[in-house]
Amino acid sequence: MKFSLCLSILSILLSDKSYSCDAVYSCYNDSSALKTAMSVQDSSQKTFHVCADTTWNMGRLNSNFVYVNGDQPIRLGFSGLKVLCGPEGNVKDNCNLVGGDIGVEIESYGEEVFEDMVIEGFTFTGGDGTTSIGNYFEKISYIDLTVRNCHFVDNPKLKGAIILTTDHQKYITSSEKLTVEDCLFQNNDVVVKDKKRAILIDSWTSNEMSIVRSQFINNRFEDIDGNINSIVRSGSELSDGKGTLLSNATVSIKDSCFEGNTGLSLSLVLSTSLNESGIVDNNYQSSNTYVKFNGKTYDCDGVNYNNQTTLTDDFTCKLEGFEATTCSVATSKPSSMPTSKPSSMPSISSMPSSMLTSKPSSMPTTMPTSKPSSMANSKATTSLASLRRFEMSHNAIMVLFTVCIYYF
């Protein structure tokens, strides 16, 4: 019976993912190596990982359209590309993209349609005239991008967190689909990107935008009368040439929080579209302040719908969906950490009362005491933390197996 118990425990350990080779993943800690790997058009690899605890200081675009004096941006050049921080795209794995002109760039290598792209688990910070995620619109007719579990925080001069636009001049039906999930936008100073706009999330020709379980806290906008200062804009640039829009933009905002943002004009969310479409539900707003727009003060703590390319007083402010009394999203950091550990650990009464005092002669007597002095930067590296977890798990299984054989 005791031998059967040993076998059962071994079976559980071996079936657990944390004890398997799956815990080992290939990742990049060099931005140029990642750029090279992601530029292969016909590659079967679509998912890439940046190593945990990686910080890249992003470069600036020079007159020859080359990024210099820093790291290369993460470039999405084909459909289906997904880039994750760490093994699972968790922002706690500490992948930081700092400053520069841009952190993640959608760039065409000849493609016109970009579908099913994902950025997950990154922190964008230290922006100085920076667009965190964006693209140059030339030769792009469609973008489908999901940004998940990312933090956009402490940017002193941010042109935009997520700015997408397609080439509506070349493609009459150009559009974008943007999904933002479980993201934090906090303590950013948003500056004017062009003469009339300062916006955190802007999709110029969006046919579908969805923001879910995200927080917008203490972001600041420049006080310029007549400027469109907004947290989110979902819009259409397709018009009849006389100011009337010709296409519809769907904007959905759910389970999100807007708190302490200053310098806004018009509204929290702006939708320029033919129709008022989308789902707006269970959002919380508090202590947001507004500045004048064309000499008048508007304070629409909801969605401003406008069907003209030129904004006038003729718009509809809808507060429905922003009546939640508390923020349903977990705060960015826990308010307190555990101060004590459990008083006792669980025990298994059927385990042997004593352990064997000597190891089989075939077992190693020592473990490696140092790691390699350097890792190759020209290709993906294997996560050292994952290897260590696998090594510890493997050793524990071997000890238990030896106990089973020795006693039973």
Side-chain angles (χ1 to χ4, degrees), residues 41-89:
Q41 182 171 7
D42 297 325
S43 173
S44 60
Q45 183 180 1
K46 296 296 184 181
T47 300
F48 297 84
H49 300 264
V50 173
C51 299
D53 298 317
T54 292
T55 295
W56 289 339
N57 294 294
M58 312 312 295
R60 299 284 185 180
L61 195 65
N62 66 12
S63 58
N64 295 319
F65 300 99
V66 176
Y67 288 94
V68 296
N69 301 323
D71 286 292
Q72 297 295 309
I74 296 174
R75 292 188 175 181
L76 303 177
F78 310 105
S79 292
L81 290 178
K82 299 173 176 61
V83 187
L84 283 63
C85 170
E88 298 177 347

mmCIF file of all heavy atoms in Angstrom, residues 41-89:
data_model
loop_
_atom_site.group_PDB
_atom_site.id
_atom_site.type_symbol
_atom_site.label_atom_id
_atom_site.label_comp_id
_atom_site.label_asym_id
_atom_site.label_seq_id
_atom_site.Cartn_x
_atom_site.Cartn_y
_atom_site.Cartn_z
ATOM 1 N N GLN A 41 9.230 36.183 -43.080
ATOM 2 C CA GLN A 41 7.822 36.192 -43.454
ATOM 3 C C GLN A 41 7.168 34.814 -43.395
ATOM 4 O O GLN A 41 6.061 34.669 -42.904
ATOM 5 C CB GLN A 41 7.651 36.780 -44.855
ATOM 6 C CG GLN A 41 6.186 36.870 -45.290
ATOM 7 C CD GLN A 41 6.044 37.653 -46.583
ATOM 8 O OE1 GLN A 41 7.026 38.010 -47.215
ATOM 9 N NE2 GLN A 41 4.816 37.935 -46.970
ATOM 10 N N ASP A 42 7.841 33.808 -43.893
ATOM 11 C CA ASP A 42 7.227 32.483 -43.996
ATOM 12 C C ASP A 42 7.556 31.572 -42.820
ATOM 13 O O ASP A 42 7.384 30.360 -42.894
ATOM 14 C CB ASP A 42 7.682 31.806 -45.301
ATOM 15 C CG ASP A 42 7.221 32.585 -46.520
ATOM 16 O OD1 ASP A 42 6.114 33.148 -46.469
ATOM 17 O OD2 ASP A 42 7.974 32.641 -47.511
ATOM 18 N N SER A 43 8.034 32.147 -41.747
ATOM 19 C CA SER A 43 8.388 31.333 -40.590
ATOM 20 C C SER A 43 7.147 30.721 -39.952
ATOM 21 O O SER A 43 6.086 31.343 -39.889
ATOM 22 C CB SER A 43 9.125 32.189 -39.550
ATOM 23 O OG SER A 43 9.330 31.459 -38.358
ATOM 24 N N SER A 44 7.290 29.493 -39.484
ATOM 25 C CA SER A 44 6.182 28.839 -38.793
ATOM 26 C C SER A 44 6.040 29.362 -37.377
ATOM 27 O O SER A 44 5.014 29.151 -36.732
ATOM 28 C CB SER A 44 6.405 27.323 -38.762
ATOM 29 O OG SER A 44 7.617 27.012 -38.084
ATOM 30 N N GLN A 45 7.072 30.024 -36.862
ATOM 31 C CA GLN A 45 7.008 30.574 -35.514
ATOM 32 C C GLN A 45 6.254 31.895 -35.531
ATOM 33 O O GLN A 45 6.651 32.838 -36.218
ATOM 34 C CB GLN A 45 8.408 30.776 -34.931
ATOM 35 C CG GLN A 45 8.388 31.291 -33.487
ATOM 36 C CD GLN A 45 9.782 31.479 -32.907
ATOM 37 O OE1 GLN A 45 10.772 31.245 -33.583
ATOM 38 N NE2 GLN A 45 9.857 31.891 -31.656
ATOM 39 N N LYS A 46 5.193 31.965 -34.758
ATOM 40 C CA LYS A 46 4.384 33.174 -34.684
ATOM 41 C C LYS A 46 4.384 33.805 -33.301
ATOM 42 O O LYS A 46 4.020 34.967 -33.152
ATOM 43 C CB LYS A 46 2.937 32.865 -35.094
ATOM 44 C CG LYS A 46 2.776 32.426 -36.546
ATOM 45 C CD LYS A 46 3.153 33.527 -37.522
ATOM 46 C CE LYS A 46 2.895 33.128 -38.964
ATOM 47 N NZ LYS A 46 3.294 34.197 -39.927
ATOM 48 N N THR A 47 4.752 33.030 -32.281
ATOM 49 C CA THR A 47 4.762 33.535 -30.911
ATOM 50 C C THR A 47 6.201 33.685 -30.434
ATOM 51 O O THR A 47 7.007 32.767 -30.543
ATOM 52 C CB THR A 47 4.001 32.591 -29.964
ATOM 53 O OG1 THR A 47 2.635 32.495 -30.409
ATOM 54 C CG2 THR A 47 4.014 33.126 -28.539
ATOM 55 N N PHE A 48 6.522 34.864 -29.902
ATOM 56 C CA PHE A 48 7.861 35.174 -29.431
ATOM 57 C C PHE A 48 7.784 35.660 -27.985
ATOM 58 O O PHE A 48 6.794 36.262 -27.575
ATOM 59 C CB PHE A 48 8.513 36.247 -30.305
ATOM 60 C CG PHE A 48 8.718 35.817 -31.738
ATOM 61 C CD1 PHE A 48 7.683 35.923 -32.665
ATOM 62 C CD2 PHE A 48 9.940 35.309 -32.152
ATOM 63 C CE1 PHE A 48 7.859 35.524 -33.985
ATOM 64 C CE2 PHE A 48 10.125 34.913 -33.481
ATOM 65 C CZ PHE A 48 9.082 35.018 -34.387
ATOM 66 N N HIS A 49 8.849 35.396 -27.236
ATOM 67 C CA HIS A 49 8.906 35.772 -25.836
ATOM 68 C C HIS A 49 10.108 36.668 -25.578
ATOM 69 O O HIS A 49 11.213 36.384 -26.049
ATOM 70 C CB HIS A 49 9.017 34.538 -24.936
ATOM 71 C CG HIS A 49 7.869 33.579 -25.068
ATOM 72 N ND1 HIS A 49 6.782 33.589 -24.216
ATOM 73 C CD2 HIS A 49 7.633 32.588 -25.960
ATOM 74 C CE1 HIS A 49 5.942 32.636 -24.570
ATOM 75 N NE2 HIS A 49 6.430 32.023 -25.638
ATOM 76 N N VAL A 50 9.889 37.742 -24.827
ATOM 77 C CA VAL A 50 10.990 38.537 -24.307
ATOM 78 C C VAL A 50 11.286 38.029 -22.901
ATOM 79 O O VAL A 50 10.363 37.791 -22.113
ATOM 80 C CB VAL A 50 10.639 40.038 -24.289
ATOM 81 C CG1 VAL A 50 11.729 40.843 -23.587
ATOM 82 C CG2 VAL A 50 10.436 40.545 -25.711
ATOM 83 N N CYS A 51 12.571 37.831 -22.591
ATOM 84 C CA CYS A 51 12.942 37.246 -21.302
ATOM 85 C C CYS A 51 12.465 38.122 -20.145
ATOM 86 O O CYS A 51 12.482 39.361 -20.230
ATOM 87 C CB CYS A 51 14.455 37.090 -21.207
ATOM 88 S SG CYS A 51 15.170 36.008 -22.467
ATOM 89 N N ALA A 52 12.053 37.476 -19.070
ATOM 90 C CA ALA A 52 11.676 38.200 -17.860
ATOM 91 C C ALA A 52 12.852 39.053 -17.378
ATOM 92 O O ALA A 52 14.019 38.730 -17.611
ATOM 93 C CB ALA A 52 11.248 37.213 -16.786
ATOM 94 N N ASP A 53 12.523 40.170 -16.719
ATOM 95 C CA ASP A 53 13.530 41.093 -16.177
ATOM 96 C C ASP A 53 14.419 41.679 -17.263
ATOM 97 O O ASP A 53 15.634 41.827 -17.098
ATOM 98 C CB ASP A 53 14.390 40.396 -15.114
ATOM 99 C CG ASP A 53 13.570 39.928 -13.921
ATOM 100 O OD1 ASP A 53 12.708 40.690 -13.463
ATOM 101 O OD2 ASP A 53 13.787 38.790 -13.468
ATOM 102 N N THR A 54 13.790 42.018 -18.400
ATOM 103 C CA THR A 54 14.498 42.671 -19.500
ATOM 104 C C THR A 54 14.064 44.132 -19.591
ATOM 105 O O THR A 54 12.871 44.435 -19.561
ATOM 106 C CB THR A 54 14.203 41.976 -20.840
ATOM 107 O OG1 THR A 54 14.781 40.673 -20.834
ATOM 108 C CG2 THR A 54 14.765 42.760 -22.011
ATOM 109 N N THR A 55 15.013 45.038 -19.697
ATOM 110 C CA THR A 55 14.721 46.458 -19.890
ATOM 111 C C THR A 55 15.421 46.929 -21.156
ATOM 112 O O THR A 55 16.642 46.773 -21.289
ATOM 113 C CB THR A 55 15.182 47.297 -18.695
ATOM 114 O OG1 THR A 55 14.424 46.938 -17.530
ATOM 115 C CG2 THR A 55 14.970 48.787 -18.964
ATOM 116 N N TRP A 56 14.654 47.486 -22.075
ATOM 117 C CA TRP A 56 15.202 48.050 -23.297
ATOM 118 C C TRP A 56 14.978 49.558 -23.303
ATOM 119 O O TRP A 56 13.844 50.026 -23.109
ATOM 120 C CB TRP A 56 14.548 47.426 -24.534
ATOM 121 C CG TRP A 56 14.952 45.997 -24.773
ATOM 122 C CD1 TRP A 56 16.064 45.370 -24.299
ATOM 123 C CD2 TRP A 56 14.252 45.017 -25.544
ATOM 124 N NE1 TRP A 56 16.112 44.058 -24.734
ATOM 125 C CE2 TRP A 56 15.009 43.808 -25.496
ATOM 126 C CE3 TRP A 56 13.064 45.033 -26.274
ATOM 127 C CZ2 TRP A 56 14.610 42.652 -26.145
ATOM 128 C CZ3 TRP A 56 12.667 43.871 -26.924
ATOM 129 C CH2 TRP A 56 13.430 42.691 -26.862
ATOM 130 N N ASN A 57 16.049 50.315 -23.537
ATOM 131 C CA ASN A 57 15.964 51.764 -23.720
ATOM 132 C C ASN A 57 15.842 52.023 -25.217
ATOM 133 O O ASN A 57 16.801 51.849 -25.972
ATOM 134 C CB ASN A 57 17.198 52.443 -23.138
ATOM 135 C CG ASN A 57 17.265 52.292 -21.627
ATOM 136 O OD1 ASN A 57 16.440 52.825 -20.903
ATOM 137 N ND2 ASN A 57 18.242 51.526 -21.143
ATOM 138 N N MET A 58 14.649 52.428 -25.629
ATOM 139 C CA MET A 58 14.323 52.453 -27.043
ATOM 140 C C MET A 58 15.063 53.563 -27.789
ATOM 141 O O MET A 58 15.344 54.631 -27.243
ATOM 142 C CB MET A 58 12.810 52.615 -27.233
ATOM 143 C CG MET A 58 11.970 51.660 -26.378
ATOM 144 S SD MET A 58 12.507 49.931 -26.439
ATOM 145 C CE MET A 58 12.188 49.539 -28.150
ATOM 146 N N GLY A 59 15.381 53.285 -29.072
ATOM 147 C CA GLY A 59 16.129 54.216 -29.896
ATOM 148 C C GLY A 59 15.256 55.285 -30.547
ATOM 149 O O GLY A 59 14.027 55.306 -30.413
ATOM 150 N N ARG A 60 15.931 56.168 -31.279
ATOM 151 C CA ARG A 60 15.271 57.255 -32.015
ATOM 152 C C ARG A 60 15.452 57.033 -33.515
ATOM 153 O O ARG A 60 16.482 56.546 -33.962
ATOM 154 C CB ARG A 60 15.864 58.608 -31.632
ATOM 155 C CG ARG A 60 15.700 58.966 -30.156
ATOM 156 C CD ARG A 60 14.296 59.398 -29.839
ATOM 157 N NE ARG A 60 14.169 59.852 -28.462
ATOM 158 C CZ ARG A 60 13.032 60.288 -27.929
ATOM 159 N NH1 ARG A 60 11.930 60.321 -28.676
ATOM 160 N NH2 ARG A 60 12.986 60.664 -26.672
ATOM 161 N N LEU A 61 14.427 57.414 -34.255
ATOM 162 C CA LEU A 61 14.463 57.251 -35.710
ATOM 163 C C LEU A 61 15.239 58.412 -36.326
ATOM 164 O O LEU A 61 14.888 59.581 -36.124
ATOM 165 C CB LEU A 61 13.037 57.211 -36.256
ATOM 166 C CG LEU A 61 12.839 56.710 -37.685
ATOM 167 C CD1 LEU A 61 13.237 55.246 -37.797
ATOM 168 C CD2 LEU A 61 11.382 56.895 -38.104
ATOM 169 N N ASN A 62 16.315 58.078 -37.093
ATOM 170 C CA ASN A 62 17.097 59.143 -37.702
ATOM 171 C C ASN A 62 16.575 59.480 -39.099
ATOM 172 O O ASN A 62 15.557 58.936 -39.555
ATOM 173 C CB ASN A 62 18.590 58.773 -37.732
ATOM 174 C CG ASN A 62 18.899 57.594 -38.650
ATOM 175 O OD1 ASN A 62 18.076 57.161 -39.453
ATOM 176 N ND2 ASN A 62 20.115 57.064 -38.543
ATOM 177 N N SER A 63 17.292 60.346 -39.812
ATOM 178 C CA SER A 63 16.840 60.816 -41.129
ATOM 179 C C SER A 63 16.854 59.712 -42.175
ATOM 180 O O SER A 63 16.216 59.835 -43.224
ATOM 181 C CB SER A 63 17.714 61.986 -41.595
ATOM 182 O OG SER A 63 19.084 61.603 -41.647
ATOM 183 N N ASN A 64 17.573 58.637 -41.892
ATOM 184 C CA ASN A 64 17.599 57.493 -42.813
ATOM 185 C C ASN A 64 16.596 56.413 -42.409
ATOM 186 O O ASN A 64 16.670 55.287 -42.910
ATOM 187 C CB ASN A 64 19.014 56.900 -42.847
ATOM 188 C CG ASN A 64 20.032 57.856 -43.432
ATOM 189 O OD1 ASN A 64 19.762 58.551 -44.416
ATOM 190 N ND2 ASN A 64 21.219 57.912 -42.832
ATOM 191 N N PHE A 65 15.701 56.764 -41.500
ATOM 192 C CA PHE A 65 14.662 55.847 -41.032
ATOM 193 C C PHE A 65 15.258 54.594 -40.386
ATOM 194 O O PHE A 65 14.778 53.485 -40.580
ATOM 195 C CB PHE A 65 13.704 55.462 -42.176
ATOM 196 C CG PHE A 65 12.992 56.639 -42.773
ATOM 197 C CD1 PHE A 65 13.449 57.210 -43.950
ATOM 198 C CD2 PHE A 65 11.882 57.196 -42.147
ATOM 199 C CE1 PHE A 65 12.809 58.319 -44.505
ATOM 200 C CE2 PHE A 65 11.237 58.305 -42.692
ATOM 201 C CZ PHE A 65 11.692 58.863 -43.871
ATOM 202 N N VAL A 66 16.304 54.814 -39.606
ATOM 203 C CA VAL A 66 16.951 53.753 -38.840
ATOM 204 C C VAL A 66 16.908 54.154 -37.369
ATOM 205 O O VAL A 66 17.192 55.311 -37.021
ATOM 206 C CB VAL A 66 18.409 53.547 -39.293
ATOM 207 C CG1 VAL A 66 19.099 52.501 -38.420
ATOM 208 C CG2 VAL A 66 18.467 53.146 -40.764
ATOM 209 N N TYR A 67 16.577 53.199 -36.507
ATOM 210 C CA TYR A 67 16.546 53.479 -35.073
ATOM 211 C C TYR A 67 17.959 53.399 -34.512
ATOM 212 O O TYR A 67 18.642 52.375 -34.647
ATOM 213 C CB TYR A 67 15.617 52.498 -34.357
ATOM 214 C CG TYR A 67 14.158 52.768 -34.639
ATOM 215 C CD1 TYR A 67 13.497 52.094 -35.666
ATOM 216 C CD2 TYR A 67 13.449 53.709 -33.898
ATOM 217 C CE1 TYR A 67 12.160 52.355 -35.942
ATOM 218 C CE2 TYR A 67 12.117 53.978 -34.172
ATOM 219 C CZ TYR A 67 11.469 53.297 -35.193
ATOM 220 O OH TYR A 67 10.156 53.563 -35.467
ATOM 221 N N VAL A 68 18.391 54.493 -33.891
ATOM 222 C CA VAL A 68 19.764 54.582 -33.385
ATOM 223 C C VAL A 68 19.741 55.015 -31.920
ATOM 224 O O VAL A 68 18.718 55.423 -31.376
ATOM 225 C CB VAL A 68 20.592 55.588 -34.219
ATOM 226 C CG1 VAL A 68 20.738 55.113 -35.655
ATOM 227 C CG2 VAL A 68 19.960 56.979 -34.166
ATOM 228 N N ASN A 69 20.904 54.910 -31.298
ATOM 229 C CA ASN A 69 21.106 55.350 -29.904
ATOM 230 C C ASN A 69 20.145 54.672 -28.936
ATOM 231 O O ASN A 69 19.619 55.298 -28.004
ATOM 232 C CB ASN A 69 20.963 56.876 -29.800
ATOM 233 C CG ASN A 69 21.948 57.621 -30.683
ATOM 234 O OD1 ASN A 69 23.094 57.188 -30.832
ATOM 235 N ND2 ASN A 69 21.514 58.711 -31.278
ATOM 236 N N GLY A 70 19.927 53.394 -29.162
ATOM 237 C CA GLY A 70 19.052 52.652 -28.266
ATOM 238 C C GLY A 70 18.610 51.343 -28.888
ATOM 239 O O GLY A 70 19.089 50.934 -29.958
ATOM 240 N N ASP A 71 17.679 50.697 -28.216
ATOM 241 C CA ASP A 71 17.190 49.402 -28.682
ATOM 242 C C ASP A 71 16.175 49.551 -29.812
ATOM 243 O O ASP A 71 15.546 50.608 -29.990
ATOM 244 C CB ASP A 71 16.548 48.649 -27.512
ATOM 245 C CG ASP A 71 17.599 48.106 -26.552
ATOM 246 O OD1 ASP A 71 18.336 47.201 -26.953
ATOM 247 O OD2 ASP A 71 17.682 48.603 -25.408
ATOM 248 N N GLN A 72 16.012 48.468 -30.558
ATOM 249 C CA GLN A 72 15.055 48.424 -31.654
ATOM 250 C C GLN A 72 13.642 48.215 -31.105
ATOM 251 O O GLN A 72 13.447 47.485 -30.131
ATOM 252 C CB GLN A 72 15.390 47.272 -32.601
ATOM 253 C CG GLN A 72 16.730 47.402 -33.282
ATOM 254 C CD GLN A 72 16.789 48.606 -34.219
ATOM 255 O OE1 GLN A 72 15.926 48.789 -35.072
ATOM 256 N NE2 GLN A 72 17.799 49.437 -34.032
ATOM 257 N N PRO A 73 12.627 48.849 -31.706
ATOM 258 C CA PRO A 73 11.256 48.583 -31.279
ATOM 259 C C PRO A 73 10.842 47.154 -31.634
ATOM 260 O O PRO A 73 11.428 46.529 -32.520
ATOM 261 C CB PRO A 73 10.430 49.606 -32.064
ATOM 262 C CG PRO A 73 11.257 49.935 -33.262
ATOM 263 C CD PRO A 73 12.686 49.824 -32.809
ATOM 264 N N ILE A 74 9.869 46.647 -30.926
ATOM 265 C CA ILE A 74 9.268 45.366 -31.297
ATOM 266 C C ILE A 74 8.444 45.617 -32.555
ATOM 267 O O ILE A 74 7.533 46.444 -32.542
ATOM 268 C CB ILE A 74 8.386 44.818 -30.166
ATOM 269 C CG1 ILE A 74 9.244 44.524 -28.941
ATOM 270 C CG2 ILE A 74 7.651 43.564 -30.618
ATOM 271 C CD1 ILE A 74 8.448 44.120 -27.711
ATOM 272 N N ARG A 75 8.751 44.903 -33.642
ATOM 273 C CA ARG A 75 8.098 45.185 -34.920
ATOM 274 C C ARG A 75 7.148 44.055 -35.303
ATOM 275 O O ARG A 75 7.555 42.902 -35.427
ATOM 276 C CB ARG A 75 9.146 45.384 -36.019
ATOM 277 C CG ARG A 75 9.954 46.655 -35.816
ATOM 278 C CD ARG A 75 10.847 46.962 -36.999
ATOM 279 N NE ARG A 75 11.530 48.229 -36.837
ATOM 280 C CZ ARG A 75 12.367 48.750 -37.736
ATOM 281 N NH1 ARG A 75 12.618 48.099 -38.858
ATOM 282 N NH2 ARG A 75 12.944 49.909 -37.517
ATOM 283 N N LEU A 76 5.907 44.426 -35.499
ATOM 284 C CA LEU A 76 4.889 43.494 -35.978
ATOM 285 C C LEU A 76 4.741 43.713 -37.470
ATOM 286 O O LEU A 76 4.165 44.705 -37.905
ATOM 287 C CB LEU A 76 3.564 43.735 -35.250
ATOM 288 C CG LEU A 76 3.596 43.629 -33.719
ATOM 289 C CD1 LEU A 76 2.231 43.974 -33.133
ATOM 290 C CD2 LEU A 76 4.033 42.248 -33.281
ATOM 291 N N GLY A 77 5.284 42.772 -38.262
ATOM 292 C CA GLY A 77 5.294 42.957 -39.706
ATOM 293 C C GLY A 77 4.413 42.011 -40.476
ATOM 294 O O GLY A 77 4.267 42.148 -41.693
ATOM 295 N N PHE A 78 3.780 41.027 -39.768
ATOM 296 C CA PHE A 78 2.938 40.038 -40.434
ATOM 297 C C PHE A 78 1.752 39.679 -39.543
ATOM 298 O O PHE A 78 1.798 39.860 -38.323
ATOM 299 C CB PHE A 78 3.743 38.769 -40.751
ATOM 300 C CG PHE A 78 5.047 39.028 -41.447
ATOM 301 C CD1 PHE A 78 6.249 38.923 -40.770
ATOM 302 C CD2 PHE A 78 5.064 39.396 -42.781
ATOM 303 C CE1 PHE A 78 7.454 39.159 -41.402
ATOM 304 C CE2 PHE A 78 6.260 39.650 -43.425
ATOM 305 C CZ PHE A 78 7.458 39.537 -42.738
ATOM 306 N N SER A 79 0.735 39.147 -40.150
ATOM 307 C CA SER A 79 -0.421 38.673 -39.393
ATOM 308 C C SER A 79 -0.023 37.521 -38.472
ATOM 309 O O SER A 79 0.889 36.757 -38.765
ATOM 310 C CB SER A 79 -1.535 38.210 -40.334
ATOM 311 O OG SER A 79 -2.094 39.295 -41.041
ATOM 312 N N GLY A 80 -0.733 37.412 -37.352
ATOM 313 C CA GLY A 80 -0.570 36.280 -36.452
ATOM 314 C C GLY A 80 0.571 36.381 -35.470
ATOM 315 O O GLY A 80 0.754 35.476 -34.650
ATOM 316 N N LEU A 81 1.344 37.473 -35.491
ATOM 317 C CA LEU A 81 2.473 37.593 -34.582
ATOM 318 C C LEU A 81 1.999 37.941 -33.175
ATOM 319 O O LEU A 81 1.148 38.814 -32.985
ATOM 320 C CB LEU A 81 3.450 38.652 -35.076
ATOM 321 C CG LEU A 81 4.243 38.311 -36.338
ATOM 322 C CD1 LEU A 81 5.139 39.472 -36.729
ATOM 323 C CD2 LEU A 81 5.066 37.045 -36.138
ATOM 324 N N LYS A 82 2.588 37.250 -32.192
ATOM 325 C CA LYS A 82 2.273 37.489 -30.793
ATOM 326 C C LYS A 82 3.580 37.610 -30.024
ATOM 327 O O LYS A 82 4.464 36.771 -30.157
ATOM 328 C CB LYS A 82 1.422 36.350 -30.224
ATOM 329 C CG LYS A 82 0.087 36.182 -30.918
ATOM 330 C CD LYS A 82 -0.646 34.933 -30.443
ATOM 331 C CE LYS A 82 -2.030 34.832 -31.064
ATOM 332 N NZ LYS A 82 -1.991 34.753 -32.532
ATOM 333 N N VAL A 83 3.701 38.654 -29.203
ATOM 334 C CA VAL A 83 4.905 38.865 -28.417
ATOM 335 C C VAL A 83 4.514 38.976 -26.951
ATOM 336 O O VAL A 83 3.693 39.817 -26.574
ATOM 337 C CB VAL A 83 5.667 40.125 -28.860
ATOM 338 C CG1 VAL A 83 7.008 40.211 -28.144
ATOM 339 C CG2 VAL A 83 5.885 40.125 -30.371
ATOM 340 N N LEU A 84 5.103 38.109 -26.120
ATOM 341 C CA LEU A 84 4.751 38.011 -24.712
ATOM 342 C C LEU A 84 5.970 38.300 -23.840
ATOM 343 O O LEU A 84 7.093 37.929 -24.174
ATOM 344 C CB LEU A 84 4.231 36.615 -24.368
ATOM 345 C CG LEU A 84 2.804 36.231 -24.749
ATOM 346 C CD1 LEU A 84 2.600 36.233 -26.262
ATOM 347 C CD2 LEU A 84 2.464 34.851 -24.178
ATOM 348 N N CYS A 85 5.732 38.943 -22.716
ATOM 349 C CA CYS A 85 6.763 39.097 -21.699
ATOM 350 C C CYS A 85 6.802 37.835 -20.861
ATOM 351 O O CYS A 85 5.779 37.414 -20.320
ATOM 352 C CB CYS A 85 6.475 40.295 -20.811
ATOM 353 S SG CYS A 85 7.550 40.404 -19.352
ATOM 354 N N GLY A 86 7.993 37.229 -20.744
ATOM 355 C CA GLY A 86 8.117 36.013 -19.974
ATOM 356 C C GLY A 86 7.392 34.861 -20.637
ATOM 357 O O GLY A 86 6.994 34.929 -21.798
ATOM 358 N N PRO A 87 7.155 33.775 -19.903
ATOM 359 C CA PRO A 87 6.545 32.594 -20.513
ATOM 360 C C PRO A 87 5.071 32.748 -20.832
ATOM 361 O O PRO A 87 4.558 32.108 -21.743
ATOM 362 C CB PRO A 87 6.771 31.498 -19.459
ATOM 363 C CG PRO A 87 6.919 32.231 -18.173
ATOM 364 C CD PRO A 87 7.590 33.526 -18.501
ATOM 365 N N GLU A 88 4.354 33.633 -20.081
ATOM 366 C CA GLU A 88 2.900 33.667 -20.223
ATOM 367 C C GLU A 88 2.334 35.053 -20.472
ATOM 368 O O GLU A 88 1.116 35.248 -20.436
ATOM 369 C CB GLU A 88 2.248 33.078 -18.961
ATOM 370 C CG GLU A 88 2.605 31.612 -18.723
ATOM 371 C CD GLU A 88 2.002 31.073 -17.444
ATOM 372 O OE1 GLU A 88 1.529 31.898 -16.624
ATOM 373 O OE2 GLU A 88 2.011 29.840 -17.255
ATOM 374 N N GLY A 89 3.178 36.063 -20.708
ATOM 375 C CA GLY A 89 2.671 37.400 -20.945
ATOM 376 C C GLY A 89 2.173 38.079 -19.691
ATOM 377 O O GLY A 89 1.152 38.763 -19.706
#
